[in-house]
Amino acid sequence: MRRTGKPIITALPISGGYKLDGFVPWITGYGIFSEFIVAAILPNRGSVFGIIPFRETKQSTGGMIKFSQPAKLAAMTSTNTVSSNISGYCLPVEQVIFTKTAGWINDNDKSNILSASFLATGCAIAGLNIIAASSQQKSLTFITDSFVFLHQELANCRAAIRKAQKNSQTEFSEKMHLRSWAIELANRISHAAVIVSGGAANYSHHNAQRIYREALVFTVTGQTTAIMAATLKRLVMKEVRE
């Protein structure tokens, strides 16, 4: 929905519904769910959302839905994420959830920009738990000091996000600052969890390894061009952090 240029999946209004054509790059839950929601771009640049089968499908009219093998992901592999090629599939109007006008997702992104921040801060909490456990096991002052510092920064970040969500007058630039802070902080804390775990963190089954990889996922979850820019700016800025 956020892509510019030629849409990767389109919907053409037809009698009794829409004809879908294109490629869906990311669908989670193959073999778990029987249906999924597809979103396609209309000729007027609006969009339609509908429910279609989450299985190989061939319609009598010639429409087809095909799926790839589950992707080999760095994290969250149990979600069975696949892609799909859709060719001439007829989406009946009874399976349409709703339609949206052109540009709706841009307005939606602006109003919900902080929603995904708690995925990143939740990941950061998991990283802090590892640091806290390591502090108790190793009794090293510098680990304890690092935990206290990061714990406080995370508390400040979460409090600031909650405050911004409650204030309808919060500027867009401030929301971007908070979202990028949450992302960068989750990555720093998960990296710290790897550091205090030592060489054992290199095992794929180690909790620090898992959290470190999940921080990667939450870095790009719901990413827009504006969030990408803000995150990169956060990584290269020189001033003292909060």
Side-chain angles (χ1 to χ4, degrees):
M1 298 292 100
R2 299 182 180 92
R3 294 171 186 260
T4 57
K6 184 179 179 180
I8 60 173
I9 181 165
T10 59
L12 181 67
I14 59 174
S15 177
Y18 299 86
K19 186 179 76 168
L20 306 181
D21 286 283
F23 176 69
V24 184
W26 187 277
I27 320 166
T28 293
Y30 188 71
I32 301 172
F33 303 114
S34 59
E35 298 170 317
F36 72 98
I37 298 173
V38 65
I41 300 297
L42 294 164
N44 64 3
R45 301 300 296 185
S47 52
V48 58
F49 288 71
I51 300 174
I52 65 176
F54 205 172
R55 62 182 182 278
E56 298 280 323
T57 301
K58 185 173 182 179
Q59 296 177 311
S60 59
T61 55
M64 298 181 68
I65 305 175
K66 294 184 177 181
F67 297 95
S68 69
Q69 292 297 310
K72 295 181 180 180
L73 304 177
M76 301 183 179
T77 55
S78 63
T79 56
N80 281 3
T81 296
V82 297
S83 59
S84 176
N85 285 293
I86 300 176
S87 176
Y89 181 82
C90 295
L91 172 69
V93 67
E94 293 81 10
Q95 296 300 104
V96 173
I97 303 173
F98 51 72
T99 58
K100 294 287 187 178
T101 57
W104 71 273
I105 198 166
N106 302 113
D107 295 330
N108 187 69
D109 284 339
K110 289 181 179 179
S111 62
N112 294 321
I113 196 167
L114 290 177
S115 298
S117 298
F118 290 105
L119 297 173
T121 56
C123 183
I125 291 172
L128 279 178
N129 290 339
I130 290 178
I131 299 171
S134 179
S135 175
Q136 294 177 354
Q137 293 169 2
K138 299 179 180 179
S139 298
L140 296 172
T141 303
F142 61 83
I143 295 180
T144 302
D145 291 343
S146 297
F147 170 81
V148 171
F149 178 88
L150 292 170
H151 182 274
Q152 185 58 60
E153 184 178 354
L154 180 59
N156 293 343
C157 179
R158 296 177 74 201
I161 291 172
R162 290 195 188 95
K163 182 178 179 181
Q165 285 186 311
K166 293 178 181 179
N167 182 7
S168 61
Q169 303 302 314
T170 302
E171 295 289 339
F172 179 71
S173 59
E174 175 62 13
K175 292 180 180 179
M176 291 302 305
H177 163 73
L178 294 173
R179 175 71 177 271
S180 63
W181 184 14
I183 292 170
E184 187 249 3
L185 184 54
N187 279 272
R188 275 196 288 128
I189 290 177
S190 63
H191 195 185
V194 169
I195 293 169
V196 301
S197 299
N202 203 31
Y203 287 110
S204 60
H205 65 270
H206 195 280
N207 283 337
Q209 169 71 229
R210 174 180 57 80
I211 293 166
Y212 190 59
R213 286 182 282 117
E214 288 179 0
L216 176 154
V217 176
F218 299 134
T219 295
V220 296
T221 298
Q223 186 185 65
T224 64
T225 302
I227 292 172
M228 181 190 295
T231 306
L232 290 175
K233 181 180 179 180
R234 177 93 192 173
L235 293 178
V236 301
M237 70 180 190
K238 302 298 183 182
E239 52 266 76
V240 178
R241 293 188 175 92
E242 291 79 0

